[in-house]
Amino acid sequence: MDVEAETLAPVAEAPQSPLFSGARAEAPANALIAEARRRRASHIHLEIGPGATVVRMRIAGQLTEPRHYHADAALAAGFRDAAGASLLVHEGGERIVLRLDGGERRERALEAIGMRREQVDALLPALRRGGLVLVAGPAGSGRSTSIATLLRHFAGSPRHIATIDTLPVEGATRIEGLAGAAAIRATLEQDPDVIALDVLEGREAAGAAAEAAEAGHLVIAGIDAPDSVSAIRQMRDWRVEPFRLASNVAAVLAQRLVRRLCPDCRRPVQAQGSVSALLGFDSGAIVFAPVGCESCEGTGFAGMTGVFEAIVADGAIRRLINDGGDEAILARHAFLRAPNLGSAARALVREGMTTPDEAVRISRG
């Protein structure tokens, strides 16, 4: 039986049962907060009376229908003590509103570094499960920033995060002085929910990461590879068993950085013929060029943004990995409905976020 369905049974369905039972009884507030975060709620409202508790969540700006539960002292105590809780005592009982540090702000952090909304939506379920999440890119691609941003998704949650050496994250256990497989195995002794490391180096470390994912941990690891399909090939080259890799890979990201055009002074121009051909644009397509102004100190650019591709493992991807499917077939399936790095860069050009030259650089690898 699903634990959450059992422990969150409303009064109407189980009139003699407490709000929480079994394995989750010691932390009823955590269970309800976890559900709210999965549903991307911004607030949880509790009306606590002498005999019942009414729970509602604010999702996409709207309060959900009330759910009625038996009064539960542990639940009330958990919410009173939670950061972000506002308590109002009135004649009929208590009203507690918990503002989550929430899902939406953390997800916006992923969008802020350049991930598309659809990529974030596809990736989030992989972050909620155990498994292996690879973040591919060469040095200077922003890979470490992306891993740190992924870890921010767990801020405020009860999940125990452990990082290895180069990834300091507030509230996480940090393993220092070790590298590779030895560091991963030392991290496992701390029994974390999430393990993060900046880069996998070598066969032994790759095998240890796959073993940790197989044991139910979420492992987020950087890998020095030019794209997501190449990252899978690298794991194969390191002789991670095909079945183990196929069973435990949850997602593979790849990224590059491009210069972002200054929104105050960029100007529309017609794409040059050679650039149009390289990017697959129609002749005369309108793109944007840098100019330079006071806002950007004459550079024409305003910082950098990430360009991402993502392979989220489904049944077909797992079968292709397990069967040793070649890279072209793997890429064809993975990017049938999702952008690869080249098409993601071209989209940024069309939107006026970057220049055609930047997209050509990304498309050429």
Short mmCIF file of all heavy atoms in Angstrom, two decimals, residues 262-315:
data_model
loop_
_atom_site.label_atom_id
_atom_site.label_comp_id
_atom_site.label_asym_id
_atom_site.label_seq_id
_atom_site.Cartn_x
_atom_site.Cartn_y
_atom_site.Cartn_z
N CYS A 262 22.48 42.65 -24.52
CA CYS A 262 21.90 43.70 -23.67
C CYS A 262 20.51 44.04 -24.19
O CYS A 262 20.35 44.40 -25.36
CB CYS A 262 22.79 44.94 -23.71
SG CYS A 262 22.08 46.36 -22.85
N PRO A 263 19.48 43.92 -23.36
CA PRO A 263 18.12 44.20 -23.84
C PRO A 263 17.88 45.68 -24.13
O PRO A 263 16.93 46.02 -24.84
CB PRO A 263 17.24 43.72 -22.68
CG PRO A 263 18.12 43.80 -21.47
CD PRO A 263 19.51 43.50 -21.95
N ASP A 264 18.75 46.55 -23.62
CA ASP A 264 18.54 47.99 -23.81
C ASP A 264 19.05 48.51 -25.14
O ASP A 264 18.59 49.56 -25.62
CB ASP A 264 19.21 48.77 -22.67
CG ASP A 264 18.56 48.51 -21.32
OD1 ASP A 264 17.37 48.16 -21.30
OD2 ASP A 264 19.26 48.64 -20.29
N CYS A 265 20.02 47.82 -25.71
CA CYS A 265 20.60 48.39 -26.94
C CYS A 265 20.70 47.42 -28.11
O CYS A 265 21.19 47.80 -29.19
CB CYS A 265 21.98 48.98 -26.64
SG CYS A 265 23.23 47.77 -26.15
N ARG A 266 20.31 46.18 -27.95
CA ARG A 266 20.39 45.24 -29.07
C ARG A 266 19.57 45.81 -30.24
O ARG A 266 18.57 46.50 -30.05
CB ARG A 266 19.84 43.87 -28.67
CG ARG A 266 18.37 43.92 -28.33
CD ARG A 266 17.81 42.62 -27.87
NE ARG A 266 16.36 42.75 -27.66
CZ ARG A 266 15.57 41.77 -27.29
NH1 ARG A 266 16.07 40.57 -27.05
NH2 ARG A 266 14.28 41.97 -27.14
N ARG A 267 19.97 45.49 -31.46
CA ARG A 267 19.21 46.00 -32.60
C ARG A 267 18.93 44.88 -33.59
O ARG A 267 19.76 43.98 -33.78
CB ARG A 267 19.95 47.14 -33.29
CG ARG A 267 21.25 46.76 -33.96
CD ARG A 267 21.93 47.98 -34.56
NE ARG A 267 23.25 47.65 -35.11
CZ ARG A 267 23.43 47.26 -36.37
NH1 ARG A 267 22.42 47.16 -37.21
NH2 ARG A 267 24.66 46.99 -36.79
N PRO A 268 17.75 44.92 -34.22
CA PRO A 268 17.41 43.88 -35.19
C PRO A 268 18.15 44.09 -36.50
O PRO A 268 18.30 45.21 -36.98
CB PRO A 268 15.89 44.07 -35.38
CG PRO A 268 15.63 45.49 -35.03
CD PRO A 268 16.65 45.88 -34.00
N VAL A 269 18.63 42.98 -37.06
CA VAL A 269 19.31 43.01 -38.36
C VAL A 269 18.89 41.76 -39.12
O VAL A 269 18.33 40.82 -38.55
CB VAL A 269 20.86 43.03 -38.19
CG1 VAL A 269 21.32 44.29 -37.49
CG2 VAL A 269 21.34 41.79 -37.44
N GLN A 270 19.17 41.75 -40.41
CA GLN A 270 18.93 40.55 -41.19
C GLN A 270 20.13 39.61 -41.04
O GLN A 270 21.28 40.05 -41.10
CB GLN A 270 18.74 40.89 -42.67
CG GLN A 270 17.35 41.42 -42.99
CD GLN A 270 17.11 41.48 -44.49
OE1 GLN A 270 18.05 41.61 -45.27
NE2 GLN A 270 15.86 41.40 -44.88
N ALA A 271 19.83 38.35 -40.84
CA ALA A 271 20.91 37.36 -40.72
C ALA A 271 21.69 37.27 -42.02
O ALA A 271 21.10 37.30 -43.10
CB ALA A 271 20.33 36.00 -40.35
N GLN A 272 23.00 37.18 -41.92
CA GLN A 272 23.83 37.02 -43.10
C GLN A 272 23.58 35.66 -43.74
O GLN A 272 23.22 34.69 -43.06
CB GLN A 272 25.30 37.15 -42.71
CG GLN A 272 25.67 38.50 -42.12
CD GLN A 272 25.47 39.63 -43.10
OE1 GLN A 272 25.87 39.53 -44.27
NE2 GLN A 272 24.83 40.70 -42.65
N GLY A 273 23.79 35.58 -45.04
CA GLY A 273 23.48 34.36 -45.76
C GLY A 273 24.16 33.13 -45.21
O GLY A 273 23.55 32.08 -45.04
N SER A 274 25.47 33.25 -44.91
CA SER A 274 26.20 32.09 -44.42
C SER A 274 25.70 31.66 -43.06
O SER A 274 25.58 30.45 -42.77
CB SER A 274 27.70 32.41 -44.35
OG SER A 274 27.93 33.53 -43.48
N VAL A 275 25.39 32.64 -42.19
CA VAL A 275 24.88 32.32 -40.86
C VAL A 275 23.50 31.69 -40.97
O VAL A 275 23.18 30.72 -40.28
CB VAL A 275 24.87 33.58 -39.97
CG1 VAL A 275 24.12 33.31 -38.67
CG2 VAL A 275 26.28 34.03 -39.68
N SER A 276 22.65 32.25 -41.83
CA SER A 276 21.32 31.68 -42.02
C SER A 276 21.40 30.23 -42.43
O SER A 276 20.65 29.38 -41.94
CB SER A 276 20.54 32.48 -43.09
OG SER A 276 20.25 33.77 -42.64
N ALA A 277 22.33 29.94 -43.33
CA ALA A 277 22.48 28.55 -43.79
C ALA A 277 22.96 27.65 -42.67
O ALA A 277 22.44 26.54 -42.49
CB ALA A 277 23.44 28.51 -44.97
N LEU A 278 23.93 28.13 -41.90
CA LEU A 278 24.46 27.30 -40.81
C LEU A 278 23.41 27.02 -39.74
O LEU A 278 23.39 25.93 -39.15
CB LEU A 278 25.68 27.99 -40.18
CG LEU A 278 26.98 27.95 -40.98
CD1 LEU A 278 28.01 28.90 -40.38
CD2 LEU A 278 27.52 26.53 -41.05
N LEU A 279 22.54 27.99 -39.49
CA LEU A 279 21.55 27.84 -38.44
C LEU A 279 20.21 27.33 -38.96
O LEU A 279 19.30 27.08 -38.17
CB LEU A 279 21.34 29.17 -37.71
CG LEU A 279 22.56 29.71 -36.96
CD1 LEU A 279 22.23 31.05 -36.30
CD2 LEU A 279 23.03 28.72 -35.90
N GLY A 280 20.08 27.21 -40.27
CA GLY A 280 18.82 26.72 -40.83
C GLY A 280 17.72 27.76 -40.81
O GLY A 280 16.53 27.42 -40.81
N PHE A 281 18.09 29.05 -40.81
CA PHE A 281 17.09 30.13 -40.83
C PHE A 281 16.70 30.43 -42.27
O PHE A 281 17.47 30.24 -43.21
CB PHE A 281 17.66 31.40 -40.20
CG PHE A 281 17.85 31.33 -38.70
CD1 PHE A 281 18.43 32.38 -38.02
CD2 PHE A 281 17.47 30.20 -37.97
CE1 PHE A 281 18.61 32.33 -36.64
CE2 PHE A 281 17.64 30.14 -36.60
CZ PHE A 281 18.23 31.20 -35.93
N ASP A 282 15.49 30.96 -42.43
CA ASP A 282 15.06 31.43 -43.74
C ASP A 282 15.89 32.63 -44.16
O ASP A 282 16.37 33.41 -43.32
CB ASP A 282 13.58 31.82 -43.72
CG ASP A 282 12.67 30.62 -43.47
OD1 ASP A 282 13.09 29.50 -43.80
OD2 ASP A 282 11.56 30.83 -42.95
N SER A 283 16.05 32.80 -45.46
CA SER A 283 16.79 33.95 -45.97
C SER A 283 16.11 35.24 -45.51
O SER A 283 14.88 35.38 -45.59
CB SER A 283 16.83 33.90 -47.50
OG SER A 283 17.49 35.02 -48.00
N GLY A 284 16.91 36.17 -45.00
CA GLY A 284 16.35 37.43 -44.53
C GLY A 284 15.78 37.39 -43.13
O GLY A 284 15.13 38.34 -42.69
N ALA A 285 15.99 36.29 -42.42
CA ALA A 285 15.46 36.18 -41.05
C ALA A 285 16.02 37.31 -40.18
O ALA A 285 17.17 37.71 -40.31
CB ALA A 285 15.84 34.83 -40.45
N ILE A 286 15.17 37.83 -39.29
CA ILE A 286 15.57 38.90 -38.39
C ILE A 286 16.22 38.31 -37.14
O ILE A 286 15.64 37.44 -36.49
CB ILE A 286 14.38 39.78 -38.00
CG1 ILE A 286 13.79 40.45 -39.24
CG2 ILE A 286 14.78 40.83 -36.98
CD1 ILE A 286 14.77 41.35 -39.99
N VAL A 287 17.41 38.76 -36.86
CA VAL A 287 18.11 38.37 -35.64
C VAL A 287 18.54 39.68 -34.95
O VAL A 287 18.18 40.77 -35.39
CB VAL A 287 19.33 37.47 -35.96
CG1 VAL A 287 18.87 36.16 -36.58
CG2 VAL A 287 20.31 38.20 -36.88
N PHE A 288 19.28 39.57 -33.86
CA PHE A 288 19.68 40.77 -33.13
C PHE A 288 21.20 40.83 -33.01
O PHE A 288 21.88 39.81 -32.90
CB PHE A 288 19.04 40.78 -31.74
CG PHE A 288 17.56 41.08 -31.79
CD1 PHE A 288 16.66 40.09 -32.08
CD2 PHE A 288 17.11 42.37 -31.55
CE1 PHE A 288 15.30 40.36 -32.13
CE2 PHE A 288 15.75 42.66 -31.60
CZ PHE A 288 14.84 41.66 -31.89
N ALA A 289 21.70 42.06 -33.02
CA ALA A 289 23.15 42.30 -32.95
C ALA A 289 23.46 43.21 -31.77
O ALA A 289 22.63 44.03 -31.37
CB ALA A 289 23.63 42.94 -34.25
N PRO A 290 24.67 43.10 -31.20
CA PRO A 290 25.05 43.98 -30.10
C PRO A 290 25.37 45.39 -30.60
O PRO A 290 25.84 45.56 -31.73
CB PRO A 290 26.30 43.29 -29.53
CG PRO A 290 26.88 42.57 -30.70
CD PRO A 290 25.71 42.13 -31.54
N VAL A 291 25.11 46.38 -29.76
CA VAL A 291 25.41 47.76 -30.11
C VAL A 291 26.36 48.36 -29.07
O VAL A 291 27.46 48.79 -29.38
CB VAL A 291 24.11 48.60 -30.21
CG1 VAL A 291 24.47 50.07 -30.47
CG2 VAL A 291 23.22 48.06 -31.31
N GLY A 292 25.91 48.38 -27.83
CA GLY A 292 26.69 48.99 -26.76
C GLY A 292 26.01 50.24 -26.25
O GLY A 292 25.59 51.09 -27.02
N CYS A 293 25.87 50.33 -24.93
CA CYS A 293 25.23 51.48 -24.31
C CYS A 293 25.74 51.63 -22.88
O CYS A 293 26.58 50.84 -22.43
CB CYS A 293 23.69 51.33 -24.32
SG CYS A 293 23.08 49.99 -23.28
N GLU A 294 25.21 52.61 -22.18
CA GLU A 294 25.65 52.83 -20.81
C GLU A 294 25.32 51.65 -19.91
O GLU A 294 26.09 51.29 -19.02
CB GLU A 294 24.99 54.10 -20.28
CG GLU A 294 25.48 54.53 -18.90
CD GLU A 294 24.89 55.85 -18.45
OE1 GLU A 294 24.52 56.66 -19.33
OE2 GLU A 294 24.79 56.07 -17.23
N SER A 295 24.16 51.02 -20.16
CA SER A 295 23.74 49.90 -19.31
C SER A 295 24.72 48.75 -19.35
O SER A 295 24.94 48.06 -18.35
CB SER A 295 22.35 49.42 -19.73
OG SER A 295 21.38 50.41 -19.53
N CYS A 296 25.28 48.48 -20.53
CA CYS A 296 26.19 47.33 -20.67
C CYS A 296 27.64 47.77 -20.77
O CYS A 296 28.50 46.96 -21.19
CB CYS A 296 25.79 46.49 -21.88
SG CYS A 296 25.88 47.37 -23.47
N GLU A 297 27.93 49.04 -20.43
CA GLU A 297 29.29 49.58 -20.46
C GLU A 297 29.92 49.45 -21.84
O GLU A 297 31.12 49.18 -21.99
CB GLU A 297 30.16 48.92 -19.39
CG GLU A 297 29.64 49.13 -17.98
CD GLU A 297 30.52 48.49 -16.92
OE1 GLU A 297 31.35 47.62 -17.28
OE2 GLU A 297 30.38 48.85 -15.75
N GLY A 298 29.07 49.61 -22.86
CA GLY A 298 29.55 49.62 -24.23
C GLY A 298 29.85 48.27 -24.84
O GLY A 298 30.30 48.20 -25.99
N THR A 299 29.56 47.19 -24.12
CA THR A 299 29.92 45.86 -24.65
C THR A 299 28.86 45.28 -25.58
O THR A 299 29.15 44.44 -26.42
CB THR A 299 30.13 44.87 -23.49
OG1 THR A 299 28.88 44.67 -22.80
CG2 THR A 299 31.18 45.38 -22.52
N GLY A 300 27.61 45.69 -25.39
CA GLY A 300 26.51 45.09 -26.15
C GLY A 300 25.96 43.84 -25.52
O GLY A 300 24.98 43.28 -26.01
N PHE A 301 26.57 43.41 -24.41
CA PHE A 301 26.14 42.16 -23.77
C PHE A 301 25.88 42.40 -22.29
O PHE A 301 26.44 43.30 -21.66
CB PHE A 301 27.19 41.07 -23.95
CG PHE A 301 27.38 40.65 -25.38
CD1 PHE A 301 28.38 41.21 -26.16
CD2 PHE A 301 26.53 39.71 -25.96
CE1 PHE A 301 28.55 40.84 -27.48
CE2 PHE A 301 26.69 39.33 -27.28
CZ PHE A 301 27.70 39.90 -28.04
N ALA A 302 25.03 41.54 -21.72
CA ALA A 302 24.67 41.64 -20.30
C ALA A 302 24.81 40.27 -19.66
O ALA A 302 23.83 39.57 -19.40
CB ALA A 302 23.24 42.16 -20.15
N GLY A 303 26.04 39.85 -19.45
CA GLY A 303 26.29 38.59 -18.77
C GLY A 303 26.15 37.39 -19.68
O GLY A 303 26.20 37.49 -20.91
N MET A 304 25.97 36.24 -19.04
CA MET A 304 25.89 34.96 -19.76
C MET A 304 24.59 34.26 -19.40
O MET A 304 23.98 34.54 -18.36
CB MET A 304 27.06 34.06 -19.36
CG MET A 304 28.43 34.70 -19.42
SD MET A 304 29.06 34.85 -21.11
CE MET A 304 29.60 33.17 -21.44
N THR A 305 24.18 33.35 -20.25
CA THR A 305 23.06 32.48 -19.92
C THR A 305 23.39 31.07 -20.39
O THR A 305 24.20 30.87 -21.29
CB THR A 305 21.75 32.97 -20.56
OG1 THR A 305 20.65 32.20 -20.06
CG2 THR A 305 21.77 32.83 -22.08
N GLY A 306 22.76 30.10 -19.76
CA GLY A 306 23.01 28.71 -20.11
C GLY A 306 22.16 28.26 -21.28
O GLY A 306 21.05 28.73 -21.49
N VAL A 307 22.71 27.34 -22.05
CA VAL A 307 21.97 26.63 -23.10
C VAL A 307 21.96 25.16 -22.69
O VAL A 307 23.03 24.59 -22.42
CB VAL A 307 22.65 26.79 -24.47
CG1 VAL A 307 21.84 26.08 -25.56
CG2 VAL A 307 22.86 28.25 -24.81
N PHE A 308 20.79 24.56 -22.64
CA PHE A 308 20.66 23.22 -22.06
C PHE A 308 20.00 22.25 -23.02
O PHE A 308 19.13 22.62 -23.81
CB PHE A 308 19.81 23.27 -20.79
CG PHE A 308 20.46 23.97 -19.63
CD1 PHE A 308 20.35 25.33 -19.48
CD2 PHE A 308 21.21 23.25 -18.69
CE1 PHE A 308 20.96 25.98 -18.42
CE2 PHE A 308 21.82 23.90 -17.63
CZ PHE A 308 21.69 25.26 -17.49
N GLU A 309 20.40 21.00 -22.91
CA GLU A 309 19.63 19.89 -23.44
C GLU A 309 19.47 18.89 -22.31
O GLU A 309 20.28 18.84 -21.38
CB GLU A 309 20.29 19.24 -24.65
CG GLU A 309 21.59 18.51 -24.34
CD GLU A 309 22.25 17.87 -25.56
OE1 GLU A 309 21.97 18.32 -26.69
OE2 GLU A 309 23.05 16.94 -25.36
N ALA A 310 18.41 18.11 -22.37
CA ALA A 310 18.13 17.16 -21.29
C ALA A 310 17.57 15.87 -21.86
O ALA A 310 16.66 15.88 -22.69
CB ALA A 310 17.15 17.75 -20.28
N ILE A 311 18.15 14.76 -21.42
CA ILE A 311 17.57 13.44 -21.69
C ILE A 311 17.00 12.95 -20.36
O ILE A 311 17.74 12.75 -19.39
CB ILE A 311 18.63 12.44 -22.19
CG1 ILE A 311 19.21 12.90 -23.53
CG2 ILE A 311 18.04 11.04 -22.31
CD1 ILE A 311 20.33 12.00 -24.05
N VAL A 312 15.71 12.79 -20.30
CA VAL A 312 15.06 12.22 -19.12
C VAL A 312 14.73 10.77 -19.45
O VAL A 312 14.04 10.50 -20.44
CB VAL A 312 13.79 13.01 -18.74
CG1 VAL A 312 13.11 12.37 -17.53
CG2 VAL A 312 14.17 14.46 -18.41
N ALA A 313 15.25 9.86 -18.67
CA ALA A 313 15.15 8.44 -19.00
C ALA A 313 13.71 7.96 -18.99
O ALA A 313 12.98 8.18 -18.02
CB ALA A 313 15.98 7.61 -18.03
N ASP A 314 13.29 7.35 -20.08
CA ASP A 314 12.01 6.65 -20.14
C ASP A 314 12.29 5.19 -20.53
O ASP A 314 13.45 4.77 -20.63
CB ASP A 314 11.05 7.32 -21.12
CG ASP A 314 11.60 7.39 -22.55
OD1 ASP A 314 12.61 6.71 -22.85
OD2 ASP A 314 11.03 8.13 -23.37
N GLY A 315 11.25 4.42 -20.74
CA GLY A 315 11.44 3.01 -21.04
C GLY A 315 12.28 2.78 -22.28
O GLY A 315 13.16 1.90 -22.30
#
